[in-house]
């Protein structure tokens, strides 16, 4: 990637750990996901990463919940955003994850590229807030990857450490991956690569040879520093309520749209340009079913009147 490339602005709309007691803007229902997707698109986001939830906010890995969320978003924004499903979890069989990919057919699916200790630490408590082993062995990675190839779903390789980036090379050699690769470097998790601009550059330097796409995922308030670093290194960026609740000034975001608006502003202030959804599909190597049929709906113009909606 190069500084001349447009920036794919991704939004992680809702994770599975945080709840509304921590941030009232987190969507639970399909209708709330759709309203957030509209705000995201109107502010310049073109790629939406989804963890499914039930109406009470509990995490779900059921086909019907993923399908309802996808249908609601598609009805609201059409082809103006790439839809990306998470496959990262603990204790959910690969077959169950493949089942919702097969039934719902998102354009992109996240693929975690290795195992690690995954934790959050409190220096005030001198203890971990939580800690667990996030297991992603090669057997599971390959099984998910083979399913994505069969279903023509583009993998988004989520790399929590430099070794995870290195794990892409054997998969390329095995013929399981096609260029351009689409990798995101997850930084700020205790147990993964520490969050710094130098480490981000190292992650990017370890991508396999060829012209590929990469971005950064900053966890917590380090997100904005990493966004700035990625923009100056030529990468793309992800923000959203799954990763961080706060704007750079410390104010809690009232919607995903507010986080996307700040990310777009930062992109433009460093002299780069947000990608259109068509450009994002080209950079990531994906095509929507509607695009394949010649029915691609242009993304609404950034800064349109619809982009001024507040939190529902």
């Amino acid at each position: 990637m190069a500084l001349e490339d447009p920036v794919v602005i991704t939004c992680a709309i809702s994770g599975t750990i945080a709840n509304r007691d921590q941030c009232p803007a987190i969507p639970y229902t399909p209708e709330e996901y759709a309203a957030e997707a509209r705000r995201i698109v109107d502010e310049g986001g073109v790629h939406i990463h989804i963890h499914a939830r039930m109406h009470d906010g509990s995490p779900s890995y059921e086909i019907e919940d993923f399908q309802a969320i996808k249908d609601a978003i598609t009805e609201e924004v059409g082809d103006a955003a790439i839809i990306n499903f998470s496959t990262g979890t603990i204790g959910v069989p690969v077959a169950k994850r493949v089942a919702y990919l097969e039934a719902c057919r998102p354009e992109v699916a996240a693929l975690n590229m290795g195992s690690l200790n995954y934790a959050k630490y409190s220096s005030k408590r001198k203890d971990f807030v939580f800690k667990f082993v996030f297991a992603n062995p090669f057997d599971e990675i390959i099984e998910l990857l083979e399913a994505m190839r069969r279903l023509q779903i583009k993998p988004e390789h989520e790399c929590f450490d430099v070794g995870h980036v290195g794990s892409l090379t054997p998969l390329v050699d095995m013929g399981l991956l096609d260029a351009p690769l689409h990798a995101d470097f997850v930084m700020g998790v205790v147990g993964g690569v520490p969050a710094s601009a130098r480490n981000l550059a190292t992650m990017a330097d370890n991508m396999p040879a060829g012209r590929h796409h990469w971005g950064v995922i900053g966890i917590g308030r380090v997100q904005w520093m990493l966004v700035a670093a990625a923009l100056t290194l030529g990468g793309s960026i992800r923000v959203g309520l799954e990763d961080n609740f706060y704007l750079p000034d410390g104010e809690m975001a009232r919607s995903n749209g507010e986080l996307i608006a700040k990310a777009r502003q930062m992109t433009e202030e460093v002299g780069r340009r947000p990608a259109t959804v068509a450009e994002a599909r080209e950079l990531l190597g994906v095509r929507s079913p509607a695009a394949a049929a010649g029915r691609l709906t242009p993304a609404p113009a950034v800064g349109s009147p619809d982009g001024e909606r507040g939190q529902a």
Side-chain angles (χ1 to χ4, degrees):
M1 293 184 68
L3 289 169
E4 293 75 22
D5 290 326
V7 177
V8 177
I9 301 179
T10 298
C11 185
I13 194 169
S14 173
T16 60
I17 297 175
N19 58 47
R20 286 186 182 156
D21 292 337
Q22 297 163 286
C23 178
I26 293 174
Y28 286 179
T29 69
E31 295 76 18
E32 290 164 351
Y33 273 81
E36 286 294 282
R38 168 52 61 191
R39 298 181 184 104
I40 291 162
V41 167
D42 286 346
E43 294 295 352
V46 291
H47 185 200
I48 298 176
H49 175 72
I50 293 169
H51 290 260
R53 293 185 184 241
M54 291 181 278
H55 281 67
D56 66 356
S58 303
S60 173
Y61 304 95
E62 302 301 327
I63 290 171
E64 55 265 30
D65 291 314
F66 273 102
Q67 189 68 62
I69 291 167
K70 181 189 175 189
D71 288 347
I73 291 174
T74 301
E75 183 176 351
E76 178 63 35
V77 302
D79 277 344
I82 300 164
I83 292 180
N84 171 330
F85 281 4
S86 170
T87 65
T89 185
I90 295 175
V92 178
V94 172
K96 191 174 186 68
R97 290 177 266 169
V98 170
Y100 63 70
L101 295 180
E102 187 160 22
C104 304
R105 303 293 176 96
E107 294 174 71
V108 177
L111 181 65
N112 295 286
M113 285 303 299
S115 302
L116 72 154
N117 285 312
Y118 193 114
K120 181 177 180 180
Y121 180 74
S122 169
S123 58
K124 182 177 180 179
R125 302 182 199 175
K126 304 299 184 197
D127 198 1
F128 292 99
V129 178
F130 60 78
K131 58 183 185 296
F132 54 86
V133 175
F134 189 25
N136 295 286
F138 273 118
D139 286 349
E140 290 190 5
I141 291 171
I142 291 171
E143 188 176 352
L144 284 163
L145 185 55
E146 288 175 338
M148 291 179 198
R149 286 181 66 85
R150 174 173 58 84
L151 299 169
Q152 299 184 341
I153 296 170
K154 184 72 176 183
E156 174 220 353
H157 304 284
E158 293 197 358
C159 302
F160 292 76
D161 214 334
V162 180
H164 295 176
V165 183
S167 295
L168 291 167
T169 297
L171 299 177
V172 172
D173 191 60
M174 292 167 69
L176 293 172
L177 297 177
D178 300 317
L181 304 184
H182 168 35
D184 274 319
F185 309 138
V186 187
M187 310 184 76
V189 172
V190 176
V193 63
S196 74
R198 288 180 182 272
N199 286 341
L200 177 59
T202 298
M203 300 278 274
D205 288 343
N206 277 272
M207 286 288 287
R211 183 171 172 80
H212 305 299
H213 179 267
W214 66 265
V216 74
I217 299 172
I219 306 300
R221 298 195 194 192
V222 297
Q223 180 178 84
W224 298 110
M225 176 272 289
L226 292 168
V227 164
L231 290 171
T232 57
L233 289 169
S236 288
I237 54 177
R238 181 176 112 173
V239 299
L241 294 174
E242 176 183 352
D243 304 329
N244 167 48
F245 305 148
Y246 298 95
L247 294 161
D249 64 3
E251 181 182 356
M252 181 175 285
R254 292 172 296 178
S255 72
N256 280 285
E258 288 193 339
L259 298 171
I260 292 293
K262 176 54 68 173
R264 188 194 75 240
Q265 178 187 356
M266 291 176 67
T267 298
E268 293 168 344
E269 285 178 346
V270 301
R272 297 188 66 196
R273 178 175 62 81
T276 66
V277 69
E279 289 170 330
R281 288 193 170 98
E282 182 177 357
L283 286 165
L284 274 54
V286 302
R287 294 182 70 199
S288 71
R295 301 191 304 274
L296 181 63
T297 302
V302 172
S304 65
D306 286 342
E308 300 302 320
R309 303 181 188 185
Q311 173 67 25

